[in-house]
Amino acid sequence: MIPFSKLERYEGNEALFDLVTMSIVSSLVGEPLHIHAEGLRGTGKTTIMRAAKGILPNITRIKNCVYNCDPEHPHCPHHRNLSPEEIAALGVEEVTMPFLEISHSAKIGTVAGSIDLARLTDSAHPEAQLLPGIIPQAHRGIIFIDEINRLADTSPEITDILLDVMGNKPGHLQIEEAGLPVVDVEVSVSVWAASNPDEDPGPLEEIRRQLSDRFDMVCYMGRPTSVDVLSQMLKENSHSQKIKKNKESAQLNSNAKDDLYRQNIIKWAQKYEKADLPDFLRNYIARLYVKHNLESIRAIEAMQQGAVLYSTIKNRDQAMISDVTHMIPQVLKHRVDGDTLIKMINDVEVRGSRDGILNFKNKKNNPEKKKEDTEYFNTAGRPLKDLNRNELINTEKTLAPKEG
């Protein structure tokens, strides 16, 4: 597989690269960020997400804990009642952040957990014990689901499990097996998904709207239109290049650029832990919710989380109004129809800060606050009102985000 750092970037996939990076940063500090990439088949959605395994940082866990227990906050049935001294005696270890996949053939037992048959049939010491499934083993990491619209259509039981896991941050998982006590565990895992809404059974929001709303952000993966980009992609995937890369990988265990990505993710995570959204931007998001009659509170929570994360990976000291407006299409694309979304974006941009949704006319005259707000609103980005309809929405009425 081509390393993450060597994947070709172009206008249509830049948003997905950003979301993947943001989700890893957020996961590293213990806050899941669920993302969903939609687009035509063969455009590289799955490739980008799977290649991200190469830039995942390490996490510290209690030694040999299959639930990836944080030594400072143990949560699994084996360690959550232990004292700090007992945990110290067990020892800790560093492992790569988990990245696991749920396939369409997966059963509930493999996803949630089941009886450990190896221990049950052990002739020396037979015992009935639970074997954690994919979700509890991915704690503090990533779960990837390809063609999630098909999974939602054919596996309603697994979909129900995902609803519980993604419903809160951290999520909740209950493992049940006949003859064994019910195991209830906390799960902090970011769910990544990919799908083609133009193929059967259709867009996820039309199959299982509750599951669609669980995703914090959705981006549409556009096809490359540059001859130079396509030529470079063909070169990277040619037979001769693959042979060359196999020889290089045999000599080098890691890619220097991927290592740099990993170091940046650790740095951004440390910065994100201390970052916060200014109160006036939080008020701005709240007014968006009220004025435009948005249904899901998850939408504005994702907008807040996304704005801070986006400003962090762009190396800004604090989130700005442009970071919030950049998140609006990705947060609302799967929650409102395309026409409503374009109307909402244009309304925010056309009215501006004086007469628009912020309605600063009702604020008290505070020179210092006015100066602070002015600095945030004087951005050099391209106004969203200047984007034409074709740049915002694709032919299937799906938004195509574009960084201003």
Side-chain angles (χ1 to χ4, degrees), residues 31 64 132 136 158 212 271 293 367 372 382:
E31 184 180 29
N64 298 323
I158 294 179
S212 177
K271 184 178 178 182
N293 297 315
E372 177 189 353
R382 182 183 174 194

Side-chain angles (χ1 to χ4, degrees), residues 27-249:
S27 299
L28 189 57
V29 301
E31 184 180 29
L33 183 72
H34 310 302
I35 60 175
H36 180 194
E38 292 186 330
L40 300 173
R41 61 182 177 274
T43 49
K45 305 179 296 294
T46 301
T47 300
I48 292 174
M49 289 181 160
R50 284 180 174 152
K53 287 190 290 186
I55 63 170
L56 293 177
N58 287 345
I59 61 171
T60 302
R61 72 176 185 183
I62 296 176
K63 195 170 184 179
N64 298 323
C65 179
V66 292
Y67 292 89
N68 295 314
C69 266
D70 185 340
E72 297 182 2
H73 306 285
H75 73 291
C76 81
H78 306 302
H79 302 126
R80 59 187 169 199
N81 295 320
L82 297 183
S83 67
E85 293 76 18
E86 291 173 315
I87 291 175
L90 292 174
V92 298
E93 62 182 350
E94 282 201 358
V95 295
T96 304
M97 178 183 286
F99 186 102
L100 301 175
E101 296 191 32
I102 295 178
S103 69
H104 293 273
S105 61
K107 307 299 181 185
I108 293 181
T110 58
V111 171
S114 60
I115 293 178
D116 189 339
L117 294 178
R119 294 202 176 193
L120 188 64
T121 57
D122 188 337
S123 57
H125 302 285
E127 60 177 342
Q129 191 166 350
L130 280 175
L131 179 68
I134 294 171
I135 292 177
Q137 289 186 55
H139 179 64
R140 302 169 65 199
I142 312 294
I143 287 178
F144 174 60
I145 307 170
D146 197 13
E147 297 186 4
I148 193 169
N149 51 344
R150 284 182 51 208
L151 182 76
D153 185 52
T154 59
S155 304
E157 297 88 356
I158 294 179
T159 302
D160 289 338
I161 294 173
L162 290 173
L163 289 174
D164 285 337
V165 170
M166 301 168 68
N168 296 294
K169 297 179 180 182
H172 158 86
L173 178 67
Q174 187 168 292
I175 308 172
E176 301 177 13
E177 277 288 352
L180 292 175
V182 174
V183 175
D184 191 285
V185 292
E186 180 182 280
V187 181
S188 179
V189 60
S190 294
V191 178
W192 296 0
S195 69
N196 180 359
D198 295 329
E199 293 184 346
D200 290 337
L204 180 61
E205 58 264 31
E206 295 180 6
I207 301 168
R208 197 71 183 266
R209 192 171 183 84
Q210 304 99 313
L211 183 59
S212 177
D213 182 60
R214 294 292 200 273
F215 285 97
D216 297 301
M217 294 155 199
V218 172
C219 71
Y220 188 84
M221 182 84 164
R223 55 189 288 273
T225 56
S226 166
V227 172
D228 293 337
V229 169
L230 288 165
S231 178
Q232 183 62 30
M233 292 172 69
L234 289 173
K235 181 180 179 180
E236 290 289 337
N237 284 283
S238 66
H239 180 64
S240 61
Q241 283 293 109
K242 289 179 180 178
I243 294 175
K244 181 180 177 182
K245 287 173 186 174
N246 288 337
K247 290 181 179 178
E248 290 177 350
S249 62

